[in-house]
Amino acid sequence: NAGVTQTPKFQVLKTGQSMTLQCAQDMNHEYMSWYRQDPGMGLRLIHYSVGAGITDQGEVPNGYNVSRSTTEDFPLRLLSAAPSQTSVYFCASSAQLAGVSEQYFGPGTRLTVT
Amino acid sequence: KNEVEQSPQNLTAQEGEFITINCSYSVGISALHWLQQHPGGGIVSLFMLSSGKKKHGRLIATINIQEKHSSLHITASHPRDSAVYICAPGPHSGGSNYKLTFGKGTLLTVNP
């Protein structure tokens, strides 16, 4: 199993550009989520999904969109990049609800917005 | 919202020392996760526990649900243990079962 994969590993965007961060898992997990990690702060939840076709907002959803058309894939879209979105982004999946199931994280995407 | 406090924020140890990292949280939970992140690296789950103690190799995690406190211990520390350790309490009892709250992490450096 590859586990959770993310692409790209690194990305530089100009303000106003859009892009999609890809996330895929091959463990048939129902639950997937996107986090951002900023210096001096804990991981913060952007969006999450409890199954194909079902998504919901997390703590910091503004400026991001998600969709979940398949169990395997959970892309994160930046609609119009801003410098405040410079961060490291992690995708995670779990077999059950976060409170009762181990979390599997992808390797992260380091995004810089200039 | 669950407030999470980890201590210490930074910890430097000599190889072989016994390490303790503490985590306190404010709201009742169903389970708590301990995660490890090496510099520039991904995040790996070490433990998920809801009561008592769990052990994996040289790592031991304990939790006291009533006291809202958990500890991560590393016995016979080694330079390869150098990493950021993150505490993540699960959702509070009766609340959303999906959203974790993450501590800011403890940066551990083990010198040879």
Side-chain angles (χ1 to χ4, degrees):
Chain A
N1 285 352
V4 181
T5 58
Q6 290 182 238
T7 57
K9 283 190 166 48
F10 301 93
Q11 183 71 48
V12 179
L13 290 178
K14 293 188 188 305
T15 297
Q17 288 184 317
S18 62
M19 78 159 295
T20 300
L21 278 63
Q22 301 292 345
C23 174
Q25 52 90 11
D26 60 359
M27 297 172 281
N28 203 33
H29 285 170
E30 289 294 326
Y31 302 93
M32 297 186 73
S33 53
W34 276 102
Y35 297 95
R36 59 178 289 171
Q37 186 178 43
D38 301 295
M41 304 185 75
L43 287 157
R44 291 183 292 170
L45 181 64
I46 304 171
H47 285 284
Y48 66 99
S49 170
V50 298
I54 307 169
T55 64
D56 204 350
Q57 295 181 349
E59 185 183 353
V60 287
N62 292 341
Y64 308 95
N65 272 358
V66 292
S67 60
R68 184 99 179 268
S69 56
T70 67
T71 298
E72 295 77 21
D73 299 299
F74 190 44
L76 178 72
R77 296 183 190 83
L78 278 68
L79 309 172
S80 177
S84 61
Q85 292 178 306
T86 294
S87 188
V88 181
Y89 292 85
F90 289 96
C91 177
S93 75
S94 61
Q96 298 181 55
L97 300 164
V100 296
S101 181
E102 182 177 356
Q103 300 287 294
Y104 294 83
F105 288 84
T109 294
R110 186 173 295 272
L111 175 68
T112 302
V113 183
T114 61
Chain B
K1 183 182 165 150
N2 209 345
E3 302 295 331
V4 184
E5 290 288 334
Q6 280 189 240
S7 62
Q9 288 186 326
N10 294 281
L11 181 55
T12 300
Q14 289 300 120
E15 184 173 356
E17 285 185 3
F18 181 83
I19 303 293
T20 296
I21 299 170
N22 295 300
C23 174
S24 297
Y25 51 92
S26 60
V27 181
I29 61 169
S30 54
L32 180 142
H33 300 252
W34 279 102
L35 310 169
Q36 180 192 56
Q37 184 175 25
H38 282 101
I43 300 169
V44 175
S45 176
L46 296 175
F47 294 102
M48 185 189 72
L49 65 167
S50 55
S51 65
K53 179 167 79 172
K54 283 191 175 180
K55 184 175 189 288
H56 184 243
R58 294 180 295 104
L59 272 60
I60 303 166
T62 63
I63 189 167
N64 185 320
I65 293 287
Q66 288 73 31
E67 297 289 324
K68 298 186 179 62
H69 182 269
S70 177
S71 294
L72 177 68
H73 306 284
I74 304 175
T75 62
S77 59
H78 190 276
R80 65 174 174 265
D81 297 326
S82 298
V84 175
Y85 292 84
I86 302 168
C87 161
H92 60 84
S93 307
S96 164
N97 274 323
Y98 193 72
K99 301 174 187 176
L100 297 176
T101 304
F102 295 84
K104 294 180 182 178
T106 294
L107 175 60
L108 171 64
T109 303
V110 182
N111 294 319

